[in-house]
Amino acid sequence: DGGITQSPKYLFRKEGQNVTLSCEQNLNHDAMYWYRQDPGQGLRLIYYSQIVNDFQKGDIAEGYSVSREKKESFPLTVTSAQKNPTAFYLCASSLNPGTGTDTQYFGPGTRLTVL
Amino acid sequence: QKEVEQDPGPLSVPEGAIVSLNCTYSNSAFQYFMWYRQYSRKGPELLMYTYSSGNKEDGRFTAQVDKSSKYISLFIRDSQPSDSATYLCAIAKAGGYSTLTFGKGTMLLVSP
């Protein structure tokens, strides 16, 4: 059963803590992405990776970090430097980065709440 | 001017109505256009993809692109309560690597 999985579905964090969101795909896609979704804000790109061991900052990378050690995994760490981390986080992947025909497929999301 | 503009709605229609959802964009470098559907608290799912001006049909869904006006539309025929969701347009530039730029989404409510 191919697809993108994200865990956990819900995550609660105390202020000052770092938390890591998991994203795994078995689609054999080269590129992976992290977005943040807030009410009325749409999807905003945090980080993306076109290939293993390489990643680039998106529009709102401050307070976040990522790694891409394996093709199928792209974990996102929300650090204590992120001042307003409560949001819905979406992971996506795509097959052909570098082409305009590259379509992205999304995971089910993780809802992070800071207590 | 934002790169992609999309009315947030909500758009409320009765079951069976024809729905028109729209986005406008500002940069003619955008050449690839997608529509995603997102149910509440779920990840977006790809509905339609197109890159040329004109219409593309898939079942009850038709995507329309007018590059001269920088205007894209998604039409839903015979709308169903199960179509109630937020619809996101997404666009990408041609040439070289390009990430997607998303509209903020339009919430659609189809009442039985």
Side-chain angles (χ1 to χ4, degrees):
Chain A
D1 191 20
I4 304 172
T5 58
Q6 291 185 242
S7 62
K9 187 173 182 179
Y10 298 98
L11 185 57
F12 297 91
R13 189 194 94 170
K14 293 182 180 179
E15 285 193 19
Q17 284 183 336
N18 293 354
V19 290
T20 298
L21 283 59
S22 170
C23 178
E24 304 276 334
Q25 55 97 0
N26 61 5
L27 301 169
N28 201 33
H29 285 176
D30 285 318
M32 297 186 74
Y33 311 80
W34 274 106
Y35 293 89
R36 170 180 173 143
Q37 188 174 36
D38 296 278
Q41 293 285 336
L43 271 66
R44 293 184 289 169
L45 183 64
I46 303 172
Y47 268 99
Y48 64 100
S49 168
Q50 298 180 59
I51 196 169
V52 174
N53 292 322
D54 186 42
F55 48 83
Q56 287 78 41
K57 293 182 179 180
D59 301 319
I60 55 164
E62 185 175 351
Y64 300 97
S65 66
V66 294
S67 63
R68 187 86 187 277
E69 297 177 1
K70 298 186 296 182
K71 186 176 184 178
E72 58 270 22
S73 179
F74 191 40
L76 173 74
T77 296
V78 184
T79 75
S80 57
Q82 171 49 237
K83 297 306 179 187
N84 186 21
T86 295
F88 189 47
Y89 290 87
L90 287 160
C91 178
S93 71
S94 66
L95 180 61
N96 294 315
T99 71
T101 59
D102 189 34
T103 52
Q104 294 181 21
Y105 297 89
F106 284 84
T110 291
R111 186 164 299 277
L112 172 63
T113 302
V114 174
L115 302 174
Chain B
Q1 183 181 12
K2 294 181 180 175
E3 288 195 303
V4 185
E5 299 273 8
Q6 188 176 10
D7 189 327
L11 176 62
S12 296
V13 301
E15 183 176 357
I18 296 174
V19 175
S20 173
L21 303 163
N22 311 295
C23 285
T24 59
Y25 61 97
S26 57
N27 191 334
S28 58
F30 290 120
Q31 296 288 322
Y32 301 97
F33 310 95
M34 283 149 263
W35 284 96
Y36 286 83
R37 177 176 63 195
Q38 184 177 24
Y39 291 111
S40 181
R41 305 189 182 201
K42 304 289 185 184
E45 57 178 316
L46 181 67
L47 274 180
M48 301 282 287
Y49 160 78
T50 184
Y51 58 89
S52 58
S53 284
N55 295 348
K56 181 178 181 179
E57 191 172 316
D58 184 1
R60 295 185 296 112
F61 298 92
T62 300
Q64 185 177 81
V65 175
D66 182 348
K67 290 186 179 180
S68 62
S69 300
K70 300 187 183 66
Y71 193 86
I72 61 174
S73 300
L74 178 71
F75 297 98
I76 307 175
R77 291 185 300 280
D78 188 24
S79 57
Q80 302 295 310
S82 59
D83 294 327
S84 297
T86 295
Y87 290 80
L88 301 156
C89 63
I91 55 180
K93 295 177 183 177
Y97 185 76
S98 172
T99 57
L100 292 181
T101 299
F102 285 86
K104 292 185 177 181
T106 299
M107 181 183 293
L108 172 66
L109 302 171
V110 182
S111 55

